[in-house]
Amino acid sequence: MLVDSPPEQRAESQSAPPTRRAIRAVGLLVAVLILVAVVLASIAIGAKQLSLGEVWHGLFDSSGTYGDVVVGDRISRTLLGLLAGAALGLAGAVLQALTRNPLADPGLLGINAGASAAVVTAITFFGVTSLNVYVWFAFVGAAAVGALVWFLGGSRGATPVRLALAGTAISAALYGYLQAVMITDDVALNKMRFWTVGSLTSATDSTITQVLPFLVAGMVLALALARPLNAMEMGDDTAKALGAHLNRTRVLAMLAATVLCGAATAACGPIVFVGLMVPHVVRSFTGPDLRWILPYAAILSPVLLLGADVLGRIVARPSELQVGIVTAILGGPVFIFLVRRRRTAQL
């Protein structure tokens, strides 16, 4: 069972000025409104330019040309961006709490590398060519690596440092395997070079239906872990004294992150920096309480992902930049800024 929040946090919550809680609640509402605006932009704006009237017509007449673009492409793409963005944001927040590292991201535990290696293996050695098939290889690869990281990190004796080191080592080995196979196999290279950059263009109703149960289950589990992870962030000894079940919480946190990252990566390919940037930025104005960080991350991460996808459609018309490229371009400078600010704060 999950533990209640620590007495210190309950006292802080009870004594916190109502205005601070109100500001957080209003901020959450504003975040929802921003997300709605970005969703509408994702449906209205694309590499193929359509007027608002044509978009509106396409929404209510899916049989025509406009319907094929709006309903058949943009809505599925937007829905997948919503789900994948929320999954990556929640996974990043959970992993940052689990490893006690505010600069951790879903790739830290090797989950993205596991999914990518599994897809390469499916294409090269099993002749898989359909997205609907290798999406399952990606998910199984992510889950297998998550379990391996947990085992190498010490299982019941796992610590944040051991988990991070195990994930880094496995990622390096798997990416080495990935590059070796792709260099020696032209077929794998041609199929993988599009998937590995991260993209929402392959969104279909079938893909969404396949990953939806995993994404929903992972999101529910991640949100339910807010209180026990709050206790663990105070240190193992303090968490034990407060009645937290450390091993169970770590297992569930690893499971939630693996399911969320695995499903999102399987559907979209590895998309970087979303799970790093959003939880870290959110923490700066919500404070360390995961009961606020997780909902904010689940809302603002799709804002970043869909916003980057819309930007990628605009800057390269009539073609487009894949969303994984845009988030990498935007995320690199932001990551450097976060690292420098954290280093300055420690001096």
Side-chain angles (χ1 to χ4, degrees), residues 22-316:
I23 289 173
R24 287 172 172 172
V26 171
L28 203 60
L29 177 60
V30 171
V32 171
L33 295 177
I34 294 173
L35 177 59
V36 171
V38 174
V39 166
L40 294 177
S42 179
I43 296 173
I45 300 172
K48 179 179 178 61
Q49 297 191 47
L50 297 177
S51 68
L52 291 180
E54 291 169 337
V55 172
W56 183 261
H57 180 72
L59 285 172
F60 295 97
D61 182 12
S62 60
S63 61
T65 302
Y66 302 144
D68 291 340
V69 174
V70 176
V71 177
D73 180 16
R74 294 184 187 175
I75 290 182
S76 295
R77 186 169 178 166
T78 300
L79 181 57
L80 182 59
L82 277 171
L83 293 170
L88 293 172
L90 285 172
V94 167
L95 289 176
Q96 287 175 10
L98 177 65
T99 61
R100 298 176 200 157
N101 180 359
L103 296 179
D105 77 327
L108 181 68
L109 298 184
I111 296 171
N112 287 347
S116 299
V119 171
V120 165
T121 301
I123 293 172
T124 305
F125 300 107
F126 298 100
V128 174
T129 58
S130 171
L131 172 67
N132 292 336
V133 177
Y134 68 63
V135 66
W136 292 101
F137 280 86
F139 187 78
V140 170
V145 169
L148 182 59
V149 168
W150 176 253
F151 174 76
L152 295 179
S155 300
R156 295 180 63 85
T159 64
V161 174
R162 287 180 179 178
L163 292 174
L165 289 175
T168 301
I170 292 173
S171 291
L174 289 177
Y175 278 123
Y177 163 77
L178 181 71
Q179 294 301 320
V181 173
M182 291 175 65
I183 289 173
T184 57
D185 190 318
D186 291 339
V187 174
L189 176 61
N190 290 333
K191 292 187 176 297
M192 281 296 298
R193 64 183 179 182
F194 181 77
W195 186 81
T196 52
V197 299
S199 173
L200 298 177
T201 57
S202 60
T204 64
D205 292 341
S206 176
T207 301
I208 294 171
T209 301
Q210 289 180 51
V211 300
L212 182 61
F214 298 102
L215 290 173
V216 171
M219 290 177 189
V220 171
L221 179 57
L223 292 170
L225 288 171
R227 289 183 174 180
L229 285 174
N230 272 342
M232 288 181 60
E233 283 201 325
M234 302 174 68
D236 289 357
D237 293 337
T238 303
K240 288 180 181 179
L242 294 170
H245 299 275
L246 301 185
N247 289 326
R248 182 165 61 196
T249 301
R250 286 186 178 127
V251 169
L252 292 176
M254 280 286 296
L255 178 62
T258 298
V259 169
L260 290 170
C261 293
T265 303
C268 308
I271 297 176
V272 298
F273 287 116
V274 174
L276 165 64
M277 287 191 294
V278 175
H280 188 83
V281 172
V282 164
R283 188 185 298 268
S284 67
F285 60 83
T286 64
D289 192 345
L290 284 162
R291 292 173 297 178
W292 288 101
I293 292 175
L294 292 175
Y296 265 99
I299 295 171
L300 292 179
S301 294
V303 170
L304 173 60
L305 187 60
L306 288 175
D309 190 43
V310 171
L311 181 61
R313 303 179 208 176
I314 295 174
V315 298

